[in-house]
Amino acid sequence: MAAADRKQNIVSALCKHLSMLSLDPNSYSTNLDKDIKSLCIDIFNSSPSGPSITKDNELMKWVEFASNFPVDSGTSLKALSELNEDLSKKSVILGNGMKISEADIVVFAAVHSSVISLSNSDRNKLPYLLRWMDYIQTKGDVGDAFQKILLEKVQFEPPAAKSVKKVEVESNAKKTDTETKPASSSDVDSKKKSNTGVKKAAADNQTSAEKKLPEKVDDKDKDISVSLLKLQIGHIKKAWKHPSADSLLVEEIDVGEAKCRQVVSGLAKFCSPEQLTNRLVVLVTNMKPSKLRDVTSEGMVLCASNEDHTVVEPLIAPEGAKVGECISFAGHDGKPEDVLNPKKKQFEKIAVNLFTDDKGVATFKGIPFMTSAGPCTSSIPRATVK
């Protein structure tokens, strides 16, 4: 894209974002000989809060990024990778929860054409950038000049899917290796004799693999939204051993309501009551209350677990997260169910897409669990979450 076209896109998007000020992008079209930073400052100064905007050092740093964003495809991919890394732990550029700022609009308009021209393989290396762009183009009101970038082009695979794929690749490699070897007459005879045994072993292996695979979700359930869950930050006031179950702990958790909730968790083998006390956790608060070994539980503490379930820990809420605040997911703004219906297995259908990424950030299909203070995390990367 020509530099003038990029400048025009930034001017149009920024004026659209500040449309309540009745800014006319055409009035800036005659100044496209200026650099991007100067154009943005002109637009900011046209607003009542212009001086305070231009004094925002963090915002102006991103305006500078947009101004210096390279046109060359090779260099731009490196810059996009750095931006993707920066967005791995926040939903928007300035990290203000989910609030879209002028920095988001300027950077979006600057990088849009470069992202559009990327191959699918390069896009798949930039999941956080793609997630952010999808959010900005959906919620940011940047105008109609930008071609829609489809988030579904980026495949977010849960840890179980990755391991299954690895097994399939290894199996196919062995098969190919075997097929390339010439068969001797003795091999043919032994193959005939062992054919029945091989078939039986294959059937046994298939049954075993099926048992290990995560629960299959029907096509109609693949798009069930995480917004059905009400996830809140809770503060564990105290914790104690379950009176009649060695594997269970009972916690008293404050989620900002009139009284604390009592929750039963299967954490006794992984955490002591002392380790849980005063900890901030992520709690599912719209589950139907139930009794676990005669003790009432009014929610579920979300935990990360490694593949063989030998290491389990509650998700870590970021420092500064507020007790009772709801977890949000970019692009999922639906209303939570008042109470999840256990018969519909809503949580189970959503949980197959809950996992931590390579950096330990808790996600739904790669979209971070966001709070006002940043994303929820775990010390266990590539973990399942439930």
Side-chain angles (χ1 to χ4, degrees):
M1 171 181 280
D5 292 334
R6 177 175 290 176
K7 291 177 185 178
Q8 186 63 62
N9 282 348
I10 291 173
V11 167
S12 299
L14 198 52
C15 288
K16 179 72 173 176
H17 178 68
L18 300 171
S19 58
M20 71 292 295
L21 303 174
S22 301
L23 295 176
D24 180 10
N26 293 325
S27 62
Y28 300 94
S29 297
T30 56
N31 297 323
L32 293 182
D33 55 328
K34 292 185 176 182
D35 61 30
I36 289 173
K37 183 177 180 180
S38 299
L39 283 169
C40 289
I41 290 174
D42 286 348
I43 296 172
F44 294 150
N45 285 334
S46 299
S47 69
S49 55
S52 63
I53 294 178
T54 54
K55 288 179 182 178
D56 186 333
N57 292 333
E58 189 66 17
L59 169 60
M60 294 311 296
K61 181 189 85 171
W62 287 104
V63 171
E64 192 80 39
F65 171 88
S67 186
N68 296 328
F69 189 76
V71 177
D72 173 71
S73 59
T75 313
S76 67
L77 181 57
K78 181 181 178 182
L80 291 174
S81 298
E82 292 171 356
L83 179 57
N84 178 72
E85 179 76 14
D86 191 80
L87 287 165
S88 66
K89 293 193 175 183
K90 55 188 180 182
S91 282
V92 290
I93 290 286
L94 296 184
N96 300 325
M98 306 292 288
K99 185 180 178 182
I100 295 173
S101 69
E102 289 79 9
D104 292 289
I105 302 301
V106 173
V107 174
F108 175 90
V111 306
H112 180 273
S113 61
S114 295
V115 176
I116 283 289
S117 63
L118 290 176
S119 65
N120 285 342
S121 61
D122 282 338
R123 289 194 193 187
N124 282 331
K125 298 173 185 175
L126 307 169
Y128 305 110
L129 173 65
L130 267 289
R131 179 261 305 157
W132 168 76
M133 295 197 74
D134 178 73
Y135 182 62
I136 301 304
Q137 68 188 2
T138 303
K139 302 295 182 183
D141 194 20
V142 291
D144 302 324
F146 299 95
Q147 180 183 338
K148 193 81 167 174
I149 297 174
L150 300 179
L151 186 63
E152 53 265 29
K153 285 184 178 289
V154 179
Q155 301 298 320
F156 296 104
E157 290 184 334
K162 291 274 187 181
S163 12
V164 170
K165 184 171 285 187
K166 182 180 179 183
V167 171
E168 289 176 349
V169 170
E170 289 176 350
S171 175
N172 289 337
K174 289 178 181 178
K175 181 179 177 183
T176 303
D177 184 56
T178 303
E179 287 175 348
T180 56
K181 293 180 181 179
S184 65
S185 57
S186 58
D187 289 336
V188 173
D189 292 338
S190 60
K191 183 177 179 182
K192 289 179 180 178
K193 291 177 182 179
S194 61
N195 190 44
T196 304
V198 170
K199 286 182 178 179
K200 183 178 184 301
D204 290 342
N205 287 337
Q206 184 176 359
T207 303
S208 174
E210 286 171 353
K211 288 178 181 177
K212 292 178 182 178
L213 287 173
E215 182 180 349
K216 187 177 180 180
V217 180
D218 292 337
D219 288 342
K220 64 181 179 181
D221 296 322
K222 282 183 179 177
D223 295 326
I224 189 166
S225 176
V226 70
S227 62
L228 294 179
L229 301 183
K230 188 172 186 181
L231 305 180
Q232 293 178 268
I233 299 298
H235 176 222
I236 299 180
K237 293 287 191 179
K238 60 181 180 179
W240 61 95
K241 293 181 179 180
H242 191 287
S244 59
D246 292 339
S247 63
L248 301 178
L249 294 178
V250 186
E251 303 98 30
E252 184 181 278
I253 304 179
D254 177 15
V255 288
E257 298 170 336
K259 58 177 286 190
C260 291
R261 292 187 178 222
Q262 180 174 277
V263 177
V264 180
S265 305
L267 288 169
K269 294 180 181 179
F270 310 101
C271 308
S272 67
E274 293 73 25
Q275 288 172 322
L276 290 179
T277 302
N278 287 323
R279 183 167 181 158
L280 289 181
V281 293
V282 178
L283 192 68
V284 185
T285 57
N286 61 340
M287 290 190 132
K288 186 176 181 180
S290 59
K291 283 194 174 184
L292 296 176
R293 298 290 289 270
D294 299 323
V295 176
T296 300
S297 183
E298 301 170 300
M300 176 190 287
V301 176
L302 284 186
C303 297
S305 169
N306 66 348
E307 192 171 352
D308 58 6
H309 204 66
T310 54
V311 182
V312 178
E313 67 173 19
L315 292 181
I316 302 167
E319 185 178 351
K322 299 172 184 175
V323 171
E325 74 168 286
C326 290
I327 304 296
S328 59
F329 297 86
H332 294 269
D333 300 326
K335 182 182 177 183
E337 294 276 88
D338 291 332
V339 179
L340 295 174
N341 187 337
K343 293 182 179 179
K344 292 183 179 180
K345 296 188 178 296
Q346 292 164 305
F347 176 78
E348 290 79 1
K349 293 169 182 176
I350 294 170
V352 297
N353 292 308
L354 301 180
F355 55 93
T356 63
D357 64 15
D358 294 333
K359 298 179 182 298
V361 176
T363 74
F364 169 75
K365 293 185 176 180
I367 303 170
F369 285 52
M370 287 302 299
T371 73
S372 59
C376 298
T377 59
S378 169
S379 65
I380 312 171
R382 303 297 301 168
T384 54
V385 174
K386 59 176 64 177

